[in-house]
Amino acid sequence: MKPLQLGLVSSLTLPLALGAVRRDLQRRNVEVAQIDENDHIDRERQAILFNPADSDFEDIFRCIPITGKHLTFNADRTFVACCAPGQRLLGSPETAFDCCAEGHELVGSFHTGYRCCPRGQSYDGVRCGSVCKNGKVLVDGECVCPRGTVVAADGTCGRPIGCDSGITTGKCYVFKMENGRTFGYDTGQSYYSAADHSHQHRLGKFKLCKNEGCTSGSSVDPDDAIHIKDVQGTVLRSSETQSDQWLNKASDGNHIGRTPRYNEAGSFTITKWSCGKYCLGGSEHGVSYACPSDTPSITFTVDKQACTPVEIIEVPCDIRSVENNCMWEKMAGSCGPGNSNSCHCPKS
C-alpha cells in the first residue's frame, strides 16, 4: 500500500514498511492510500496489516480511533481513506478524492477544483448549482456562455456568426500607424518606430503567431495572446539569412525592439477598432506610444485597456511567389484589412 498525501493536512508518521507519504499532488480534498492486492485487510479491527516476511513485528495502518472515521474504499478497492460512517470514497488520482454523503457526486474541473455536490448538480469553484446545458458553464451560480462565445438563437453558445477579425496566423502584414508611416525596425536606433521607409528604417513584415512554430490558418481573435515575428530583413541582414526576430517585451517607456528568443517576445493582442483599422494591445498589459515624437515607438504599459491604433495590410511573405496574383480581385469589393476611409480595398 502506498499512502498519498492529498490536500493540506498534517504530516503522518508511518512505519517504514508503509512507504513514504507523497505530497506532490495538489487540489485534493482528503488523504488517501493506494491499496496493494497483497495487503491484508482486517475488517473487524478496521485496519490494514503488514507482516514483513523477515520481521517478527506487525505494522498496522488504520484511522485514528478518536476521529470516529472508518477505513472507506473506492469502488474498485484500489484506494482507501478515512471517512465518516455512511460516506463513500469518490474520485481518482487525476481529479481528486473526497468522502461524499449518499446522494452526492464528486464534480468540478481542473480550474474550479472538485467538491461533493447533490447528484445532478455541478461545482463552479464557489458553490454547487444546477447543471448547465447548451454549452454553458456555471459561474458564480449562473449558467453563462464561455468567454469568446455568445448565445445563439437556439440557446446554444457559439462564436458570432459572420464576424471575424480578418487577421490570420501565418500570413504577413505591414502596420501603418496614425502618422501615416509604416512601422519598422530602425537599425540606427535599434528599436521599432513609425517612420518613412529608408536605408536605415525598413518596414516590418509581420507574422502574428499563437505559438513559436507560428502555425498558420488560425483566426486571431481579440482575446488571443499573440507574438509578433518580423520576417523582413534589415540593412545588415537579408530576409533569407536573418534568424527569427520577435518584437520584445520592453515596457514603461522603453522602446520595443527585437529578440531572437521566443521566451523574451512580447505578448500582444489585436482587436478591430474604427472602420478599417485595428488596435494593437497587450495580453497582460497595454500598449501605447513610448514618448511624444514625429516617429514614435511603442511600449508596454500598466493600463491593460491601452492600445495603439494601426492599419493592418496583408502583403506577400515572398514577393516572388506566383500565388501573389491572387492577393486581390480585379472587381471592386472587400479584400480584408485595407483602406481606413471605406473599409474596402480600392481596386481598378
Side-chain angles (χ1 to χ4, degrees), residues 6 8-10 12 29-32 43-47 61-73 80-87 89 97-100:
L6 292 87
L8 300 177
V9 297
S10 60
L12 298 178
N29 304 347
V30 296
E31 183 184 357
V32 299
R43 301 185 185 281
E44 183 177 349
R45 296 168 60 185
Q46 275 287 300
F61 184 87
R62 66 181 183 184
C63 300
I64 300 173
I66 196 173
T67 64
K69 297 180 179 179
H70 298 163
L71 288 178
T72 306
F73 302 88
V80 63
C82 293
C83 299
Q87 291 183 329
L89 177 61
F97 286 99
D98 211 339
C99 298
C100 297

Side-chain angles (χ1 to χ4, degrees), residues 149-170:
T149 64
V150 297
V151 180
D154 61 359
T156 60
C157 297
R159 290 192 175 275
I161 298 176
C163 298
D164 61 62
S165 67
I167 303 295
T168 306
T169 59

